[in-house]
Amino acid sequence: MVKCTECDADIKIPNDAIEGEIVTCPDCGASYELTKKNEGFNIKPAQVVGEDWGE
Ligand SMILES: [Zn+2]
């Protein structure tokens, strides 16, 4: 579990998540890219270039 840096909401990370996967904040919709941390994941803001957001 990580915190959204925009609104401080909890963002769930799937158990089968992989590095580089994009997660989206359920509250504000911000997108983050997963980066590997020792025992889990960290997030960094994803570069969204105005493409369609899919799903
Ligand atoms: Zn948020």
Side-chain angles (χ1 to χ4, degrees):
M1 192 92 89
V2 295
K3 291 267 189 190
C4 177
T5 59
E6 295 289 334
C7 70
D8 214 34
D10 291 325
I11 301 176
K12 266 191 213 161
I13 297 178
N15 289 331
D16 60 350
I18 56 170
E19 186 174 15
E21 189 164 327
I22 301 296
V23 294
T24 304
C25 174
D27 275 20
C28 71
S31 293
Y32 297 97
E33 182 180 336
L34 296 181
T35 58
K36 265 277 191 201
K37 210 169 79 174
N38 298 337
E39 298 168 8
F41 288 101
N42 222 329
I43 56 170
K44 68 175 185 183
Q47 305 294 330
V48 180
V49 206
E51 299 282 6
D52 75 319
W53 286 42
E55 339 194 11

